[in-house]
């Protein structure tokens, strides 16, 4: 007889540290497209997608075949020891996707936090100054530098300090709480005046749409102004596209909606269809600033992951996944807006494209976040057969990260489960 979820939960408690959180008390046995099944055979619509990793869905046949074929050739070599074709092919594809006809280069690594850390190293090497500016509400990883850059305290900072030096935080636009683009720009000017001169800043890093911080879009006005400001002072502009990238917000990358061009772009999550792969894509003269040996990693740009990523990029083209994502986003947005009009607990619906979230508050007050109600909705969704997770500085947002090729009928089923979950959470 196969083991049930609870037996695995018990084993997890014995073997895995308390600090590793698992959002749902289930164990996945198989997955396909936008669906997963647990070890007890129960079916769930997966609107988490490995936290925004599976924009092409679980186990896409093209990804599976690409990995299988690469496994039969070479599974690992370490690019610092001997090169392999899929690394260089993928780098060329990413350079074109991000830089167009400009001269761009790509460093491949393993995780999003690793990409962020290397982007900071590259920017500092290029500018030869130490300062890095990030934004409140931003999330950039759980490493020491990543958690330093991250713009909220719980759970990522805890008692993990002292943190990395020469990192400064400033305000990010949040119209729902009265922080306009102009307010955020004034805060940045104030930071320059009171904490660090622009000439001492190597880079400014931001998510064009904040992910774990609450699905907040920076907005075209702010992104354009930030691009102009960084250009004026020679500061490297880093767009962290780890969650917003690869069609999640509508275009291939979130920054493209504003018509700007960052100097460095960090990518990960949906790049390789579930395999661990990340990268820094940037202007060639900036990427070449570190001396030989300063960049790399034992597993960085693993051949299996590179092969998967090339397959993912082919899927985007062959299945017109950007168009599918925009259609899915429109369908979900309409459903969430309808719920917002129906339920007073929903303070706002936010996000771009298919990267959408509901924020739950008390009495319609933006400054009274209701994390308990958000958690109740998440739990009721699971009971109804839908997996979602929370986000936001106050953990009061429920976010949707469905595969971009989720069929419309499945998306409508998910919306109905979400609506029923809110009704049940209200009764409790």
């Amino acid at each position: 007889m196969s083991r049930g979820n609870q037996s695995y939960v018990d084993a997890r408690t014995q073997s895995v540290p308390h600090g590793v959180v698992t959002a749902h008390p289930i164990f996945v046995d198989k997955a396909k497209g936008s669906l997963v099944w647990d070890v007890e055979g129960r079916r769930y619509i997966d609107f988490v997608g490995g936290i925004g990793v599976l924009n092409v869905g679980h186990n896409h046949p093209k990804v599976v075949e690409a990995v299988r074929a690469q496994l039969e050739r070479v599974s690992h070599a370490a690019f610092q020891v001997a090169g392999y074709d899929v690394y260089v092919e993928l780098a060329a594809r990413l350079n074109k996707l991000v830089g167009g006809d400009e001269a761009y280069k790509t460093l491949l690594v393993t995780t999003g936090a690793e990409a962020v850390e290397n982007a900071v190293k590259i920017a500092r090497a290029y500018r030869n100054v130490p300062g890095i500016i990030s934004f409140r509400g931003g999330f950039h990883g759980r490493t020491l530098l990543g958690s330093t850059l991250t713009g909220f305290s719980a759970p990522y900072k805890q008692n993990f300090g002292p943190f990395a030096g020469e990192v400064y935080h400033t305000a990010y636009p949040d119209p729902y709480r009265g922080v306009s683009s102009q307010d955020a720009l004034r805060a940045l000017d104030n930071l320059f005046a009171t904490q660090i001169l622009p000439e001492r800043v190597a880079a400014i890093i931001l998510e064009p749409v904040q992910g774990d911080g609450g699905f907040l879009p920076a907005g075209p006005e702010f992104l354009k102004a930030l691009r102009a400001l960084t250009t004026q002072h020679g500061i490297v502009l880093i767009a962290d596209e780890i969650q917003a990238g690869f069609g999640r917000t509508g275009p291939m990358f979130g920054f493209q909606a504003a018509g700007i061009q960052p100097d460095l772009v960090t990518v990960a999550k949906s790049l390789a269809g579930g395999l661990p792969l990340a990268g820094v894509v940037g202007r060639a003269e900036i990427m070449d600033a570190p001396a030989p040996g300063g960049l790399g990693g034992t597993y960085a740009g693993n051949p299996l992951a590179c092969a998967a990523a090339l397959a993912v990029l082919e899927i985007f083209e062959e299945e017109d996944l950007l168009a599918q994502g925009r259609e899915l986003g429109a369908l979900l947005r309409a459903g969430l807006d309808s719920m917002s009009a129906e339920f007073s607990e929903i303070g706002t619906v936010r996000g771009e494209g298919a990267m959408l979230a509901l924020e739950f508050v008390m009495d319609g007050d933006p400054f009274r976040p209701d994390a308990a109600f958000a958690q109740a909705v998440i739990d009721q969704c699971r009971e109804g057969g839908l997996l979602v997770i929370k986000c936001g500085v106050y953990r009061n947002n429920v976010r949707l990260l469905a595969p971009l090729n989720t069929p419309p009928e499945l998306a409508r089923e998910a919306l109905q489960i979400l609506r029923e979950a809110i009704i049940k959470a209200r009764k409790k």
Side-chain angles (χ1 to χ4, degrees), residues 296-370:
T298 301
Y299 296 104
N302 170 267
L304 299 178
C306 289
L310 287 168
V312 165
L313 296 181
E314 289 179 9
I315 293 165
F316 266 90
E317 292 181 0
E318 293 172 1
E319 299 184 12
D320 200 0
L321 213 57
L322 293 181
Q324 288 195 57
R326 288 190 290 268
E327 291 171 6
L328 174 66
L331 189 160
L332 294 175
R333 184 76 192 217
L336 297 182
D337 284 342
S338 176
M339 290 180 215
S340 181
E342 182 178 4
F343 302 116
S344 60
E345 290 85 355
I346 300 174
T348 188
V349 179
R350 65 158 61 91
E352 297 287 346
M355 186 174 177
L356 297 168
L358 294 174
E359 177 161 355
F360 292 99
V361 298
M362 300 177 189
D363 303 321
D365 185 347
F367 298 97
R368 296 184 66 198
D370 198 341

Side-chain angles (χ1 to χ4, degrees), residues 358-402:
L358 294 174
E359 177 161 355
F360 292 99
V361 298
M362 300 177 189
D363 303 321
D365 185 347
F367 298 97
R368 296 184 66 198
D370 198 341
F373 191 84
Q375 185 59 54
V377 170
I378 291 168
D379 293 339
Q380 290 298 326
C381 280
R382 181 180 65 253
E383 292 301 312
L386 171 67
L387 299 181
V388 291
I389 55 172
K390 59 192 172 186
C391 66
V393 172
Y394 303 104
R395 317 316 278 170
N396 65 316
N397 293 262
V398 172
R399 54 176 153 171
L400 307 184
L401 288 165

Side-chain angles (χ1 to χ4, degrees), residues 42-45 378-386 413 417 420-421 424:
R42 186 170 183 196
R43 163 196 181 268
Y44 300 88
I45 302 172
I378 291 168
D379 293 339
Q380 290 298 326
C381 280
R382 181 180 65 253
E383 292 301 312
L386 171 67
E413 181 183 345
I417 294 171
E420 292 171 359
K424 290 176 182 177

Side-chain angles (χ1 to χ4, degrees), residues 33-34 47 324 328 331 403-413:
S34 302
F47 269 30
Q324 288 195 57
L328 174 66
L331 189 160
L404 301 183
N405 51 9
T406 299
E409 62 272 16
L410 212 56
R412 294 188 187 96
E413 181 183 345

